């Protein structure tokens, strides 16, 4: 989404509409300085305010043409060079102080991703399950449930393993693959081939040993996990 709307950076907002409950009119006449992403959140940054867009589970966007009905249209911004439409998403206004408080180094796909900081956060939570750690947006911003299941299969660790019981080598693999898989995910998403590459998520049989996968709601979030008891080790 960021890539598709990047052309509007530097443009001035001419009109605003949509049913999001924010003070939309203050955006008219403002210049879109920058588009920033943090995990699943996109920030449209203006001089003294920013609009946070979170697509949630079913949100979407379009450029230059409204493709969904008005009841789904949360926000549209008209520029001289075209328009952006956001549907079925969460829209919120935030100030520059809020932006300054974001730990941009926690975003696994950011150039400023800081593995040293991530390691420190992981070490500080020895009783946390690894499935919860991967889904913790303060540690791995941008990682979701699919990535969680695939990363844990790649590094051969069961989701209910405790961070404090995992060897340092596995913790480092965890951080490395969380970032690696996120870039693979994006590439496959662009190619419309994502599901073809899934080895664990929603699968019934382990591709390594042929045993049945365990499907279970794990961690504090009770999110679906798919794992092999033979090829993935439980550290507890």
């Amino acid at each position: 989404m960021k890539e598709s709307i990047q052309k509007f950076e530097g443009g001035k907002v001419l009109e605003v509409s949509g049913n999001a409950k924010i003070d939309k009119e203050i955006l008219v006449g403002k210049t879109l300085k920058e588009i920033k992403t943090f995990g699943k959140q996109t920030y449209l940054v203006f001089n003294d305010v920013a609009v946070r867009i979170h697509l949630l589970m079913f949100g979407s966007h379009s450029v230059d043409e409204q493709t969904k009905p008005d009841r789904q249209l949360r926000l549209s911004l008209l520029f001289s060079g075209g328009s952006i439409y956001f549907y079925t998403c969460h829209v919120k206004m935030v100030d520059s102080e809020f932006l300054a408080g974001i730990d941009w180094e926690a975003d696994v796909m950011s150039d400023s991703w800081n593995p040293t900081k991530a390691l420190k956060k992981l070490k500080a939570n020895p009783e946390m399950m690894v499935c919860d750690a991967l889904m913790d947006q303060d540690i791995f911003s941008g990682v979701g449930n699919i990535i969680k299941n695939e990363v844990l299969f790649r590094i051969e660790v069961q989701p209910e393993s405790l961070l404090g019981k995992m060897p340092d080598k596995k913790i480092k693999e965890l951080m490395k693959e969380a970032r690696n898989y996120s870039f693979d995910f994006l590439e496959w998403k662009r190619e419309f081939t994502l599901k073809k590459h899934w080895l664990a998520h929603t699968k019934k049989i382990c591709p390594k040993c042929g045993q049945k996968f365990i499907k279970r709601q794990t961690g504090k979030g009770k999110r679906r996990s798919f794992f092999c008891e033979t090829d993935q080790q439980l550290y507890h």
Side-chain angles (χ1 to χ4, degrees), residues 142-207:
V143 168
N145 205 43
I146 296 170
I147 296 175
K148 176 202 79 179
N149 285 321
E150 294 298 316
V151 165
L152 291 177
F153 187 71
R154 276 187 178 188
I155 69 169
E156 301 180 336
V157 173
Q158 287 189 29
E160 293 171 317
S161 297
L162 300 179
L163 292 177
K165 300 294 185 181
M166 288 171 58
D168 285 350
K169 180 187 171 193
K170 283 296 174 189
I171 295 285
K172 284 172 182 168
E173 278 183 46
L174 174 75
M175 294 191 301
K176 182 182 173 186
E177 288 307 329
R179 185 166 163 86
N180 286 348
Y181 195 88
S182 295
F183 282 99
D184 289 343
F185 186 106
L186 177 60
E187 198 56 44
W188 295 329
K189 194 82 172 164
R190 284 194 184 116
E191 296 169 353
F192 303 100
T193 61
L194 179 62
K195 286 188 180 180
K196 291 181 185 175
H197 293 275
W198 289 352
L199 297 176
H201 188 69
T202 71
K203 299 297 180 182
K204 294 183 177 173
I205 302 293
C206 175

Side-chain angles (χ1 to χ4, degrees), residues 38 103-119 121-122 134 136-143 171-172 174-180 183:
F38 181 68
D103 181 7
W104 301 99
E105 293 179 330
D107 190 315
V108 290
M109 296 186 73
S110 170
D111 291 339
S112 60
W113 156 251
N114 188 333
T116 305
K117 194 181 276 189
L119 180 60
K121 291 174 182 174
L122 293 169
L134 273 169
D136 188 327
Q137 298 302 293
D138 288 330
I139 306 175
F140 297 107
S141 178
V143 168
I171 295 285
K172 284 172 182 168
L174 174 75
M175 294 191 301
K176 182 182 173 186
E177 288 307 329
R179 185 166 163 86
N180 286 348
F183 282 99

Side-chain angles (χ1 to χ4, degrees), residues 116-135:
T116 305
K117 194 181 276 189
L119 180 60
K120 194 174 178 183
K121 291 174 182 174
L122 293 169
K123 292 284 189 183
N125 290 282
E127 296 300 314
M128 183 185 276
M129 287 186 187
V130 68
C131 59
D132 287 330
L134 273 169
M135 298 285 281

